[in-house]
Amino acid sequence: MSLCQPSRERSCAACCGIYNDSGTRVEVTAEVRERTREFRSISRPLEVESLRDFRQKWEKEADQRLMAELQNCPFVGFLDGPDTAPSGRLGCMVHPLQNQGFDGRDCGVFDRHICEDYLCASYSVLSMDEKTFIVNLPLDAYTYGLVITDPMLIKRTLSLVATEFGSSPQLSKTSESFRRALAEFFEFKHNWPWRAPDANFGPLKAGKDLETPRRSLILPEGELSPDPVDDLLVCFGSTFESTDDLLEARDLVRARIVQLASILVNS
Ligand code: SF4
Ligand code: SF4
């Protein structure tokens, strides 16, 4: 099953580096829309020279990326055209399937073999049920990419909802209202009120060079014990300035988990 381009509605461009950017969802998708517009104006058939010029114009400098050593490929675009932004499918504009067989991926930030062969950890970590369930959630491509590449978020959320509900729900039988509410909950991946600047990396932090140490919550010594929702705070890339902020964030997540479980009960 493809997690990268599972349907006409869903897609991911995380490993092309789209989240290696400190911009908001609105800012990043607006820029990708402009890039897509310009890419589509390049004369056809495509030529390596024009792709090199395009890359030179749109590739972000190292100091504009969250992690300088990590790439952010300028050939990510809205595959069905700029007018589908911000909710259209994101993907590789120089893929041969997009260009009548012409493969421009060697002009990108990796070579085409890496682009072709790479599969992220979610392919092996998520169960088939989880994959099928997530690719069918009503998520826009930007949010979907943040979610599908964060298996801890997916598994921990489903496990907390199951605990609250009293048993593991049969994912394939969940109602439309549950799927909508869960998709809304996952929007915290980009609109979480306590986001750290590198929150796009979820449970990982932007480290030195290519290091991505695990993110952890620093709990005030002796005051608080770990809470089951803390893993989700980590997945949302939290940073807290005070204990009150942390407690408020826990309450918010707990309330949303209870709400999700009650939708399951009532549907
Ligand atoms: S990060 Fe994973 S799901 Fe996303 S495009 Fe890459 S391999 Fe596919
Ligand atoms: S060239 Fe490779 S890295 Fe760039 S957008 Fe295409 S698949 Fe992604």
Side-chain angles (χ1 to χ4, degrees), residues 160-170 260-266:
L160 286 168
V161 171
T163 303
E164 191 65 34
F165 179 57
S167 67
S168 293
Q170 215 177 329
L260 284 162
S262 74
I263 294 173
L264 274 182
V265 170
N266 297 315

Side-chain angles (χ1 to χ4, degrees), residues 2-5 11-16 118-123 144-145 148-149:
S2 171
L3 301 180
C4 311
Q5 296 285 328
S11 68
C12 174
C15 56
C16 306
Y118 178 76
L119 291 179
C120 66
S122 298
Y123 274 90
Y144 169 77
I148 197 63
T149 51

Side-chain angles (χ1 to χ4, degrees), residues 163-184:
T163 303
E164 191 65 34
F165 179 57
S167 67
S168 293
Q170 215 177 329
L171 295 178
S172 61
K173 300 267 172 67
T174 52
S175 66
E176 189 55 39
S177 53
F178 177 74
R179 287 197 290 274
R180 262 203 318 273
L182 186 60
E184 221 175 279

Side-chain angles (χ1 to χ4, degrees), residues 13 15-17 73-77 91-95 104-112 114-116:
C15 56
C16 306
C73 186
F75 290 113
V76 172
C92 177
M93 296 189 287
V94 288
H95 191 281
R105 291 175 293 179
D106 280 334
C107 298
V109 296
F110 308 116
D111 70 46
R112 76 193 135 96
I114 295 178
C115 298
E116 184 81 35

